[in-house]
Amino acid sequence: ASGGSENTMFSVSPRNGVVNKLFSATSGDETDGCGCGYEIAFEKKISQPKVLPCSEQLITYYTNNVSGAIFPFVSLTDTLPLGVEIKEVERLHRVATIDTIENKQIITFTIGDFLLGKDSTVLRVEIQENASGVFESQGYIRGLPFGLDTLLTSDDPVSVPFRDPTRLEIVPLSLGL
């Protein structure tokens, strides 16, 4: 249970399932009562972090809900770098619907029931002909309860820092004459 004060520790017998109260202490707020790692992991990965213009790439948003609860109506939004356009949504989270795709660069979708376990959404994007530069961006999830971060930003699974932006380098086409 979470969302309120919790101050009692219990034990559960592995043999017969009997629950016994061990002790009560000063209450904590927004805790799970045992300090367990209940969380939601959120990663954004680009298939090739260094690309050429006029190419297609896949952007995958991975989530892993190990919070112990299902959450209704969680939204995921991402704004892609200039010169990167959404071509198609190849896969969408279970129980999700696309709300908007603005200018082929900003996507928002709602996950009707953010279920336990791993899931993903995959976008096929096109790198535009004149695009170049190094870009860092993050998606974000809104609608989670206070104890799990009401605004959760994506992490780049390729790099070491936690909750850092996903990097994309677009190498310009050059013609040597």
Side-chain angles (χ1 to χ4, degrees):
S2 70
S5 296
E6 298 155 352
N7 65 348
T8 306
M9 183 63 75
F10 296 90
S11 71
V12 179
S13 169
R15 273 192 234 132
N16 58 19
V18 173
V19 177
N20 292 307
K21 180 178 172 182
L22 294 177
F23 63 88
S24 293
T26 305
S27 66
D29 290 328
E30 302 297 339
T31 65
D32 60 15
C34 66
C36 299
Y38 295 138
E39 68 173 3
I40 300 204
F42 178 34
E43 298 176 341
K44 174 183 173 182
K45 184 176 181 185
I46 298 177
S47 54
Q48 298 292 320
K50 192 172 187 177
V51 299
L52 294 172
C54 304
S55 64
E56 290 185 1
Q57 300 299 316
L58 296 178
I59 297 177
T60 306
Y61 303 92
Y62 296 100
T63 58
N64 189 10
N65 181 359
V66 292
S67 68
I70 295 171
F71 303 105
F73 304 109
V74 172
S75 70
L76 189 151
T77 302
D78 192 17
T79 301
L80 302 180
L82 196 59
V84 179
E85 292 186 353
I86 298 168
K87 194 167 180 186
E88 138 182 44
V89 178
E90 288 200 354
R91 184 186 188 310
L92 198 58
H93 274 71
R94 297 179 301 254
V95 198
T97 56
I98 297 172
D99 296 327
T100 59
I101 297 178
E102 297 176 38
N103 300 323
K104 297 184 181 180
Q105 286 190 289
I106 303 170
I107 184 167
T108 301
F109 59 90
T110 299
I111 303 170
D113 285 314
F114 194 36
L115 303 173
L116 296 173
K118 296 178 181 179
D119 207 347
S120 63
T121 289
V122 180
L123 303 180
R124 179 171 297 282
V125 298
E126 184 174 23
I127 311 300
Q128 299 300 297
E129 183 179 355
N130 296 323
S132 67
V134 176
F135 304 94
E136 293 184 336
S137 65
Q138 289 178 289
Y140 56 91
I141 293 177
R142 287 188 179 163
L144 298 172
F146 179 72
L148 290 169
D149 294 331
T150 54
L151 179 68
L152 182 63
T153 55
S154 64
D155 180 44
D156 183 353
V158 176
S159 63
V160 175
F162 184 59
R163 297 250 171 97
D164 62 325
T166 300
R167 185 179 170 163
L168 173 65
E169 181 178 354
I170 304 171
V171 180
L173 292 173
S174 59
L175 299 173
L177 300 175

